[in-house]
Amino acid sequence: MKIANITIDCSGDASALAGFYAELLRTEVDEGASPYFATVGRRAGSVTLMFIRVPDRTPGKNSVHVDLHAADVPAEVERAVGLGAKHVKDFDEYGAVWTTLTDPEGNLFDIGAGAGS
């Protein structure tokens, strides 16, 4: 088994939200993006972020968030906010330091220090 996709439900334009993550990850949205479906990372052979427009977010549905690692966490948090993210809170727990943010649609993601960032 291996991770193939991390899927993020969108209430708005899937390609626009994919564009936010592509900018954040310094890459591009994959070909074929539309307001209803888009991916980032498929051609790179890494885990693919998949964005799907849904009519209603299912109440009680499991929430999935993306953990990103960076060599310079404060700089990347500042860059993310400049791209449209909102800073939620900084954490320093159990020997790990990270920042939680929301993307333009309110989905949570974290930026923390990681090996090989």
Side-chain angles (χ1 to χ4, degrees):
M1 292 259 208
K2 67 176 187 167
I3 297 172
N5 304 305
I6 296 173
T7 303
I8 300 171
D9 291 346
C10 307
S11 57
D13 186 333
S15 63
L17 191 57
F20 167 82
Y21 279 97
E23 287 286 328
L24 189 63
L25 297 170
R26 300 180 195 273
T27 189
E28 296 178 5
V29 174
D30 296 322
E31 286 184 39
S34 76
Y36 304 98
F37 176 83
T39 60
V40 172
R42 185 177 55 218
R43 291 178 302 197
S46 62
V47 173
T48 301
L49 295 179
M50 186 181 326
F51 304 86
I52 301 174
R53 186 172 177 178
V54 296
D56 291 318
R57 290 191 174 180
T58 305
K61 184 177 180 181
N62 288 342
S63 177
V64 176
H65 71 270
V66 179
D67 287 332
L68 305 172
H69 287 171
D72 186 345
V73 173
E76 293 300 336
V77 167
E78 182 178 335
R79 192 171 72 81
V81 169
L83 292 170
K86 298 214 179 339
H87 181 266
V88 175
K89 188 173 180 180
D90 297 312
F91 294 89
D92 185 350
E93 298 176 1
Y94 312 109
V97 177
W98 73 94
T99 298
T100 297
L101 303 104
T102 60
D103 69 22
E105 284 209 1
N107 300 299
L108 293 172
F109 69 98
D110 295 328
I111 299 177
S117 299

